[in-house]
């Protein structure tokens, strides 16, 4: 088990988006592949989430194999929970579950269970590679009413926000060589520019790490209409563990 850190300076929004953005980096123009998968079944990473100087919550990412499938398949879970004063201000209990192919990282299904303040949603996206469609169904859990149901076109291989992190960890990232990112959220596929900015030594509550910093351009009209920045630090080795995220 490893431990990382998520921090922010823009209020409770940071806890709310941490599950979504922790896992939103995938590559369309590939920087190159590492020689082998940098993760194994059973991998678990815990994160502390902070808001300014305050502890705001915890997050956990886990990865396991799906037994009994025709082709090797991964099942990844990302959970985020608010704690302390943030819970009293804006309670967050989010769980994302992604099922995707082990060889290509193409998504098969993404489930989101979202409890944020008074907002309670259950959202399911099924990716149909043969029909090249993503089908989304969203339910308001407070009254068990379906509030959204639609289909949207997808490329032959679509990535969701969780499978994307595991995919990018297989890539060779080089400073100064940007790439583009296709992210499908169920309603459409978005191309996002990602900068590979620098190699840095960072200190976190879990220790000191040699990292490589990337910055996907997710604010200002792409994934989020608001202005802002998102920076992600991955270990500068063949594992590319997620160490820190800052929004």
């Amino acid at each position: 088990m490893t431990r990382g850190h998520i921090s922010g300076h823009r209020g409770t929004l940071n806890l709310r988006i941490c599950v979504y953005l922790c896992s939103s980096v995938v590559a369309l123009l590939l920087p190159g592949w590492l020689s082998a998968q940098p993760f194994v079944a059973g991998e678990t990473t815990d994160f502390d989430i902070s808001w300014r100087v305050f502890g705001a919550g915890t997050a956990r990412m886990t990865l396991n194999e799906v037994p009994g499938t025709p082709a090797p398949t991964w099942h990844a879970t990302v959970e985020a929970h608010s704690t302390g004063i943030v819970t009293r201000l804006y309670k967050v209990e989010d769980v994302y579950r992604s099922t995707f192919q082990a060889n290509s990282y193409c998504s098969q299904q993404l489930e989101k269970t979202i409890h944020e303040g008074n907002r309670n949603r259950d959202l399911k996206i099924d990716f149909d590679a043969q029909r090249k469609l993503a089908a989304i169904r969203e339910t308001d859990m407070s009254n068990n009413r379906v509030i959204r149901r639609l289909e949207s076109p997808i490329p032959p291989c679509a990535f969701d926000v969780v499978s994307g992190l595991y995919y990018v960890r297989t890539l060779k990232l080089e400073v100064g060589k940007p790439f583009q990112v296709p992210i499908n959220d169920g309603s459409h596929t978005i191309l996002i520019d990602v900068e590979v900015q620098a190699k840095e030594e960072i200190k976190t509550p879990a220790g000191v790490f040699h990292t490589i910093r990337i910055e996907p351009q997710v604010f200002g009209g792409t994934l989020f209409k608001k202005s802002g920045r998102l920076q992600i630090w991955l270990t500068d080795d063949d594992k590319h563990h997620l160490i820190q995220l800052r929004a």
Side-chain angles (χ1 to χ4, degrees):
M1 181 184 294
T2 58
R3 193 167 194 90
H5 185 67
I6 300 170
S7 63
H9 303 281
R10 300 179 64 85
T12 55
L13 173 64
N14 293 288
L15 180 59
R16 184 178 175 184
I17 68 174
C18 75
V19 169
Y20 192 79
L21 294 181
C22 279
S23 314
S24 66
V25 184
V26 286
L28 179 62
L29 304 179
L30 307 185
W33 292 78
L34 297 172
S35 58
Q37 286 187 336
F39 41 80
V40 295
E43 180 184 89
T44 299
T45 306
D46 289 324
F47 295 90
D48 295 318
I49 304 172
S50 63
W51 172 58
R52 299 185 185 275
V53 298
F54 303 102
T58 60
R60 168 171 284 192
M61 301 179 65
T62 58
L63 181 70
N64 289 288
E65 292 179 299
V66 179
T69 55
T73 304
W74 291 115
H75 181 78
T77 302
V78 182
E79 303 175 63
H81 304 277
S82 59
T83 58
I85 189 173
V86 173
T87 294
R88 294 194 291 271
L89 295 173
Y90 190 85
K91 186 176 182 179
V92 173
E93 291 184 352
D94 290 350
V95 181
Y96 284 33
R97 302 177 181 89
S98 172
T99 304
F100 54 95
Q101 297 175 15
N103 59 343
S104 65
Y105 306 90
C106 303
S107 294
Q108 297 176 341
Q109 187 180 86
L110 178 68
E111 294 182 80
K112 307 179 187 179
T113 302
I114 301 169
H115 300 285
E116 298 171 353
N118 294 323
R119 183 171 178 261
N120 298 290
R121 296 285 190 271
D122 183 79
L123 188 146
K124 182 178 179 180
I125 306 171
D126 287 305
F127 296 88
D128 189 330
Q130 291 186 337
R131 298 172 61 214
K132 297 182 180 180
L133 289 174
I136 184 171
R137 176 189 173 98
E138 184 174 1
T139 303
D140 186 340
M141 294 165 58
S142 61
N143 54 22
N144 202 31
R145 181 171 61 91
V146 176
I147 58 176
R148 183 164 58 130
R149 192 199 303 263
L150 59 87
E151 291 184 337
S152 65
I154 58 173
C157 180
F159 301 93
D160 66 59
V161 296
V162 177
S163 66
L165 174 62
Y166 295 97
Y167 181 70
V168 79
R169 287 177 57 188
T170 69
L171 304 177
K172 292 182 179 179
L173 304 175
E174 297 184 45
V175 174
K177 293 188 177 181
F179 54 96
Q180 287 186 301
V181 174
I183 299 176
N184 186 279
D185 65 355
S187 58
H188 54 288
T189 301
I190 307 167
L191 287 178
I192 293 176
D193 294 323
V194 179
E195 299 175 0
V196 185
Q197 296 179 331
K199 295 188 177 184
E200 295 179 340
E201 183 179 272
I202 64 169
K203 186 176 181 180
T204 75
V208 178
F209 297 90
H210 295 283
T211 68
I212 188 164
R213 187 183 76 231
I214 62 176
E215 183 170 351
Q217 305 301 312
V218 296
F219 290 100
T222 51
L223 285 180
F224 298 95
K225 293 181 180 180
K226 293 183 177 181
S227 61
R229 297 183 68 182
L230 172 70
Q231 293 179 310
I232 298 171
W233 286 260
L234 305 171
T235 54
D236 186 23
D237 56 19
D238 60 353
K239 300 299 183 184
H240 287 335
H241 286 293
L242 174 62
I243 296 299
Q244 180 171 271
L245 181 149
R246 180 175 294 164

